[in-house]
Amino acid sequence: MPEKSVPIEERRPTIEVLRAEKDVAGLIDALGSDDGLTRQRAALALGDLAGAEAVAPLIRALGDPLTAVREAAADSLALLGPPAVGPLVELIESPEASGKYEERTVTVIGAGGRTWELETRQDLRRVYAAAILGEIGDPAAVKPLVRALRDAGDDLRYQAAGAVAKFGSGAVEPLTAVLADPDPDTRIVAAGVLGDTGDAGAVEPLVGALRDGNADVRGAAGGALIRLGGAAVEPLIAATKDADRNVRLYAAGALKYIGDPRAIEPLQDLARSGDAEEKSVAEDAIERIRTVRRGMPAPTSR
């Protein structure tokens, strides 16, 4: 009696077997499976077992139609670390670089056995690349990520901003240079990210940005200084005496929300010496600081 044939899928090694045998080539091959769960588990296993040879297949998987597979590939690339940095930087620096990771069609199987053929998407790879570089934390990625703040794609700019902020002091200098960019939208993003670094070195360039000719840039710089908190108090106190009226106003506004009592006396000086608007902003700031010090709810903004 002839042996019953076994379906090809059942004869293929499972991900558990491939992982146990440290069969990297088999796991890379499994990234091309028609089954999404198989692709996801293969991607996760490669992060634990593989090295540089898995970088390109995992980058290709960043364009997978299934979010779970993309996330697994991203996690594994972050685990691989240094070998992934160069290719990921190339992705965010050049939209065409994604073409190196040839496109393919993946069949997604849904309820009732229905199938859809979906092409992988190049734009996703660049967005994921920025986020992964932030997780890896290699200093070589800082300047490329800062340059990505000027990218035409909103999603890439957003991810690059979050990634750059994770580098802290290492990002301050390149971000400071972007505060001179001719595009105000780019300057706004740079100011915001400087505040997100949490580094005291960002205070001085942000105080300088309070002189920007664009009100939205000045507002972003003021908001960033508030987030820097105590490190910004003394420079902001000095800024209440700046020759530029905009600087004085935004400094008083930032001191209001930081809430440090050291600012009360300088704000009183501003209220006495400034024009009507400066007096109003300074007095409002003083009232809020004193209210918070007494443990009462802060008054709402006027």
Side-chain angles (χ1 to χ4, degrees):
M1 184 176 180
E3 291 185 8
K4 182 179 178 181
S5 63
V6 180
I8 294 175
E9 283 294 331
E10 293 182 19
R11 285 188 267 124
R12 291 177 181 169
T14 65
I15 298 300
E16 289 80 1
V17 172
L18 294 172
R19 179 190 281 275
E21 296 179 351
K22 298 183 179 180
D23 185 350
V24 172
L27 289 168
I28 290 173
D29 184 61
L31 287 176
S33 169
D34 292 340
D35 177 58
L37 180 59
T38 297
R39 300 198 302 277
Q40 178 192 13
R41 294 168 67 192
L44 290 171
L46 285 168
D48 294 332
L49 300 178
E53 70 275 20
V55 170
L58 286 169
I59 289 178
R60 186 176 299 113
L62 294 177
D64 196 278
L66 296 184
T67 301
V69 179
R70 298 195 300 269
E71 295 291 339
D75 289 345
S76 287
L77 284 163
L79 287 173
L80 293 181
V85 171
L88 291 170
V89 165
E90 184 182 21
L91 275 178
I92 64 170
E93 291 273 70
S94 173
E96 297 78 18
S98 191
K100 293 172 58 176
Y101 305 94
E102 72 274 6
E103 293 301 295
R104 59 186 174 82
T105 298
V106 173
T107 301
V108 179
I109 303 174
R114 183 182 173 190
T115 62
W116 293 265
E117 288 190 350
L118 302 174
E119 290 186 357
T120 54
R121 290 166 281 179
Q122 293 188 11
D123 58 329
L124 282 172
R125 294 198 185 105
R126 302 184 70 222
V127 175
Y128 273 104
I132 297 163
L133 286 168
E135 292 298 321
I136 293 174
D138 191 308
V142 173
K143 289 184 178 179
L145 284 168
V146 170
R147 287 192 288 271
L149 299 180
R150 302 182 177 95
D151 195 86
D154 291 341
D155 289 339
L156 178 56
R157 289 199 306 272
Y158 174 81
Q159 288 292 350
V164 170
K166 294 181 179 181
F167 288 87
S169 60
V172 170
E173 184 178 346
L175 285 168
T176 298
V178 180
L179 290 176
D181 194 276
D183 180 7
D185 289 338
T186 301
R187 300 199 301 276
I188 289 168
V189 174
V193 180
L194 277 166
D196 291 339
T197 64
D199 190 82
V203 172
E204 184 177 348
L206 284 168
V207 170
L210 296 178
R211 299 183 178 86
D212 197 282
N214 183 286
D216 290 334
V217 177
R218 297 195 299 270
L225 286 162
I226 292 169
R227 294 198 297 281
L228 289 170
V233 170
E234 291 296 343
L236 284 170
I237 287 173
T240 61
K241 299 176 175 61
D242 196 273
D244 188 311
R245 180 175 178 273
N246 280 329
V247 174
R248 298 195 300 270
L249 283 169
Y250 279 97
L255 287 167
K256 168 184 174 179
Y257 289 103
I258 292 174
D260 193 301
R262 288 176 291 170
I264 291 177
E265 186 175 342
L267 287 167
Q268 290 172 330
D269 292 340
L270 179 61
R272 286 190 291 267
S273 63
D275 60 25
E277 185 179 3
E278 290 172 279
K279 179 180 180 181
S280 175
V281 171
E283 288 179 344
D284 188 36
I286 293 168
E287 179 185 359
R288 186 181 193 278
I289 294 169
R290 284 176 169 168
T291 300
V292 171
R293 285 188 71 194
R294 292 194 297 265
M296 298 172 62
T300 57
S301 297
R302 295 175 184 174

